[in-house]
Every structure is written in C-alpha cells, then in structure tokens.
Amino acid sequence: MYKLHSPALVKISTPLETNKTCAVFTGQSSEYPGMYKHLLTDPTFHKVMAEADRIYVALGQPPLSEYVRGKDIRSLRTPALFTVQVALFEMLRETGFQPDYLTGFSFGEYAALTCAGVVSFEDALTLIHHREVHSPPAGKLGGLLAVEASPEKISAMLRDTKFSIAGRNSPRQTLIATPTPKKVRQALKGVRTLLLEADQPYHSDLLLETREALGKKLSAYKLSTRPPEIPIVSSVRQTFLTRENYSDKKVKDMILDQLTTPFDFVQQVKQLACAYFLEIGPKRHVSRFLVDILPRANVRSTEEYFAPPPQHQKVSHPITKTISELTGHKHITKDMRLQEDLGIDSLRKADIILRHLPQGSSFNPAEVRTVQDMISLVATPPKAQEKPSAKFARYAARWRPAPFPRLWPTSKASKRVITIKKLPQTFEDHLGLIRR
C-alpha cells in the first residue's frame, strides 16, 4: 500500500490567497506501454484493472491490463490511460486525499467525470470504446501539433495552410489540428513543433462525422448520469459543473465536445485559482503548463508519489535506443522481457547484441531474456573464447603381408596358409590368388 502526504501539508514560498486543491487528469499522448506496471500488485489498483479487463473483454477486446503490463496494442492506449487514472485516484482517496475540484486536460475529462461520480466507470469505459470504434483509422484525417507560439503568430505564418486552433496548452504553447501535419511543420520552419502521438485531430471540425456517430450511439446507449460529488471544471465548456447547475444534457454535451470543440487550458486553470495542483496520470504531462499559467502554485504529480522502483523506470541506454528503433517501443524498462513484452525473437536479439559487443565477443542468446540481461552483457562483454589449435594426424594406408582370411571351409588336416606377397592390381589378380 502506498502512502500519500496531503498536498495541503506542503509549504510554498509565496502562498496564494486561496487554499484550494485541484486534481488534474492528464490527456492523450501521455500514455505508454507498461505505465504504472509496478502498481499491479496493489490491491486497489489491481481491483480497478480487473474490472476494466472484464468490461473490455465483454466488448470483444483484449484485456486492458496487457497494455499496462507492457504490450503495445494501439487500440488499448486510450482506454488504458483512463483506467490507470481512475485507479490512481482511488489509491489517493484511500490515503485521505480530498480535492476541492476536479478537471481534465482534454481527454482527462472522462476520468474527472467518473471520479466525481457523474458517469459510472463501466459507462465511461464503454463510451471510450465506442469513440475509438467510430473513429477513422489513425492518421487518416490528420494529426495534432504542439507549437511553441501564440495563436496569433501561428495564424500569420499559416495563412495558406489548412489548420485550426485545437487548444491553448499554456501561455507559450498552442495546439493545432491539421489534415497535413508534415506540410504545416515545414511552413512553421524556425518554430519549435511537436507532432503528438494522438490518433486523431481532436478538438476540430475534422471529427464532425465521428461526433455525429458517437452522438447516435450515446442516444441509443441511454447513458445514466448523476450530479457531481466534487465540482468539475470542463476543459471544453469552460464552466463549472456542480450539484446546483448539473443537468444530464450538459454532461452529454461535454462528452461529445471532446471531439470537436477547442479548449483553453490557460483560462480553465485560472478559473480554478487553486494553490495546490496534483497531476494524475503517467509522466509529468501538464505540470509544466500549470507552472507556466500559475507560477506561484504548488504543482505535484503522481509520478512523485507512486514512483516506480528502478527496474520499472524508463532506461536511457544505447541498447534501449536500438530496441526502440527496431520495435517502435518508446518506454523501455529494465524488467521488460525481450520475447514476451517486446516481441524480439532470437535472430533480432542476436542482431541487437552484436551491434554493441566488441568484435570477437561470444555469448549465449538463450541466457539473455530481459533488457537488463542485454545491458549487463554489453557492460561487461565476455572475452572471446580461445580456440584450441587443431592437431591433425595424417594416416597413410600401406599394404603388408598378412594372413588371408578363409573364404571356404578347410579340413583339419590342411596346414596350408594363404598370404598376400604382392598387392593385387586388378580384380583378375585377386581371383588368381584365391584359386591358388
């Protein structure tokens, strides 16, 4: 069981006028295979993950825990992120953590709605599944670019390029959606950009058809919602959702708006005006945005409270870089198994090792089963085994007089012994010896 120290006990150098605490759920592209894998042994985390597996398998999908265990299955990325966020919040709640507000960075709003008691865990996970099913193939409609520039500067540079402002991450960074990410990056030459690993150009009109399809599914599904137990600030509606102003329609609009409505995280955070923020999710995805928006706020992350042990932490090593290039895995830890977790067979394993071992080194591939085994092997490469010098004895055949074997019965009285005095040269010579 993990213990969390209440953020309210953490002192800050310049206190704010408020003493409120807000939990912020991270958005897409923060997830990675094996995230919080070390928490699978925690009873609370395991319980939430087991329930998610049950729900997702019933929907005809692989268990979500496979992604958390390190298997990179693209269709499980988003639902796995949601599940991990809910599991982390449940673990925090058991320690006495009671935030005053909940909010989500983009997709994190699903977890905020669930943890506030507005939408049940099963309903939210089912809706996320249908959202993925009704979305076009990854990258077909375009992508999302994080740009280190203001919306005004971006608009001036992209006058002849199709794009839209998808969100405002911080005072210094803007998120844009475009059907041609490569072309836009070229047009923004000289400006720092990052292509997100999101499957769709979310928060834009490019997903209007997907919104319509999900809206029909939402109506048929008959989603049941409830007033929030904890107030929520919506990322797309830019308003508070409380017990007093709650309505079923507002909640359903929030869910659909996640696909096509731009968000303004700067305004969202300023509305909260909290002194303490706890980011819930993998990595420190939005912590730096929070600091940029409210420099005096105290920002913490679940990465600090539930930090993985060394063997579960991401490793930076030439070996892991090679593995990442060959397999596409971004987050590689020491405890990952080469075959089961990374899909590296014997031939590829040998190829990776030989790239990093000195020439002439010898090793047994069967003994290398994990990333740690591979790193250890390269760190202390075995010396090449000295081959013993081969000694060949040369044997030359030669004929010598010897008793000739009996080829037929002889009487006991016979004392005749046949010996070869001369090497027979032909078959006829041989027969001649026999007849004598």
Side-chain angles (χ1 to χ4, degrees):
M1 183 68 67
Y2 289 79
K3 184 178 180 181
L4 171 70
H5 299 288
S6 172
L9 300 178
V10 182
K11 295 181 179 180
I12 54 178
S13 57
T14 310
L16 296 172
E17 294 75 15
T18 178
N19 199 35
K20 301 292 185 181
T21 300
C22 178
V24 184
F25 296 92
T26 57
Q28 285 176 271
S29 78
S30 63
E31 73 280 352
Y32 60 88
M35 56 182 174
Y36 289 103
K37 176 182 177 180
H38 61 288
L39 295 182
L40 286 170
T41 55
D42 180 88
T44 302
F45 192 93
H46 177 77
K47 182 180 178 181
V48 175
M49 190 57 62
E51 177 65 6
D53 282 349
R54 181 192 67 78
I55 295 168
Y56 235 58
V57 168
L59 292 169
Q61 301 298 312
L64 286 175
S65 58
E66 289 192 14
Y67 189 85
V68 177
R69 293 183 189 280
K71 198 169 184 179
D72 192 1
I73 303 175
R74 195 181 191 101
S75 62
L76 301 185
R77 291 180 180 180
T78 306
L81 173 62
F82 163 78
T83 301
V84 165
Q85 289 174 331
V86 174
L88 290 172
F89 186 79
E90 289 301 315
M91 293 177 68
L92 291 166
R93 186 145 44 186
E94 286 184 351
T95 66
F97 178 64
Q98 296 179 342
D100 298 288
Y101 303 106
L102 298 180
T103 194
F105 180 83
S106 182
F107 173 77
E109 199 156 285
Y110 276 89
L113 288 169
T114 298
C115 294
V118 178
V119 180
S120 72
F121 179 72
E122 182 166 1
D123 284 344
L125 195 55
T126 303
L127 286 174
I128 292 170
H129 165 69
H130 289 306
R131 188 179 95 144
E132 297 298 304
V133 168
H134 289 93
S135 295
K140 182 178 180 180
L141 297 180
L144 292 171
L145 280 175
V147 185
E148 295 287 339
S150 65
E152 295 76 20
K153 182 178 179 179
I154 294 171
S155 298
M157 296 181 70
L158 299 178
R159 289 177 182 174
D160 301 324
T161 309
K162 188 174 181 180
F163 81 99
S164 63
I165 302 296
R168 193 174 169 214
N169 294 342
S170 74
R172 295 184 294 177
Q173 190 180 97
T174 305
L175 189 68
I176 64 173
T178 173
T180 56
K182 291 183 179 179
K183 183 179 179 181
V184 169
R185 294 189 83 175
Q186 291 174 353
L188 290 171
K189 190 175 181 180
V191 177
R192 187 178 178 185
T193 61
L194 174 66
L195 179 62
L196 302 188
E197 293 184 14
D199 290 344
Q200 309 296 337
Y202 296 108
H203 303 289
S204 72
D205 289 346
L206 294 170
L207 288 174
L208 282 174
E209 290 186 12
T210 304
R211 177 188 172 120
E212 184 180 352
L214 184 62
K216 291 179 181 178
K217 193 67 182 181
L218 194 60
S219 300
Y221 186 70
K222 296 180 180 179
L223 176 68
S224 175
T225 65
R226 293 166 293 281
E229 298 170 4
I230 306 171
I232 298 174
V233 173
S234 170
S235 63
V236 288
R237 307 292 288 184
Q238 294 298 314
T239 55
F240 281 87
L241 181 69
T242 64
R243 281 186 171 275
E244 291 71 31
N245 68 2
Y246 154 82
S247 73
D248 184 71
K249 184 178 183 304
K250 281 185 179 180
V251 175
K252 292 177 180 177
D253 285 344
M254 287 169 62
I255 293 172
L256 294 175
D257 285 348
Q258 278 292 321
L259 290 170
T260 56
T261 303
F263 66 91
D264 188 342
F265 193 60
V266 176
Q267 185 62 27
Q268 183 180 339
V269 172
K270 286 183 176 179
Q271 282 191 74
L272 289 162
C274 290
Y276 307 99
F277 290 89
L278 180 61
E279 179 182 357
I280 300 177
K283 304 179 182 176
R284 289 174 175 80
H285 192 58
V286 298
S287 291
R288 62 190 181 94
F289 299 152
L290 290 166
V291 172
D292 283 347
I293 298 167
L294 292 177
R296 294 165 60 195
N298 189 332
V299 180
R300 294 289 183 268
S301 166
T302 48
E303 289 285 293
E304 301 174 51
Y305 298 111
F306 303 124
Q311 66 269 27
H312 292 291
Q313 292 178 0
K314 184 177 179 179
V315 184
S316 179
H317 189 277
I319 279 285
T320 58
K321 184 179 180 181
T322 303
I323 293 175
S324 181
E325 291 172 353
L326 292 176
T327 65
H329 283 270
K330 304 297 182 184
H331 192 97
I332 299 172
T333 60
K334 292 181 179 180
D335 66 318
M336 280 187 168
R337 298 167 297 177
L338 299 175
Q339 177 68 49
E340 295 84 350
D341 299 332
L342 297 170
I344 297 175
D345 57 22
S346 299
L347 290 176
R348 185 171 287 186
K349 183 198 304 183
D351 177 38
I352 294 170
I353 294 173
L354 289 173
R355 293 188 187 193
H356 297 273
L357 280 180
Q359 188 174 2
S361 300
S362 61
F363 63 94
N364 183 0
E367 296 176 353
V368 183
R369 299 182 179 89
T370 66
V371 174
Q372 179 59 62
D373 291 343
M374 199 173 277
I375 291 174
S376 300
L377 178 65
V378 173
T380 55
K383 295 180 180 179
Q385 295 180 356
E386 294 184 4
K387 297 181 180 179
S389 57
K391 295 181 179 179
F392 296 97
R394 184 180 179 186
Y395 296 94
R398 66 185 181 88
W399 288 92
R400 61 181 177 83
F404 196 84
R406 292 181 178 178
L407 301 179
W408 60 85
T410 58
S411 64
K412 292 182 180 181
S414 175
K415 294 182 180 180
R416 187 177 181 183
V417 177
I418 302 176
T419 59
I420 298 176
K421 300 296 182 180
K422 182 181 178 183
L423 177 65
Q425 299 297 318
T426 64
F427 183 67
E428 288 75 10
D429 291 343
H430 188 73
L431 288 178
L433 286 173
I434 296 174
R435 291 168 184 162
R436 270 191 277 166

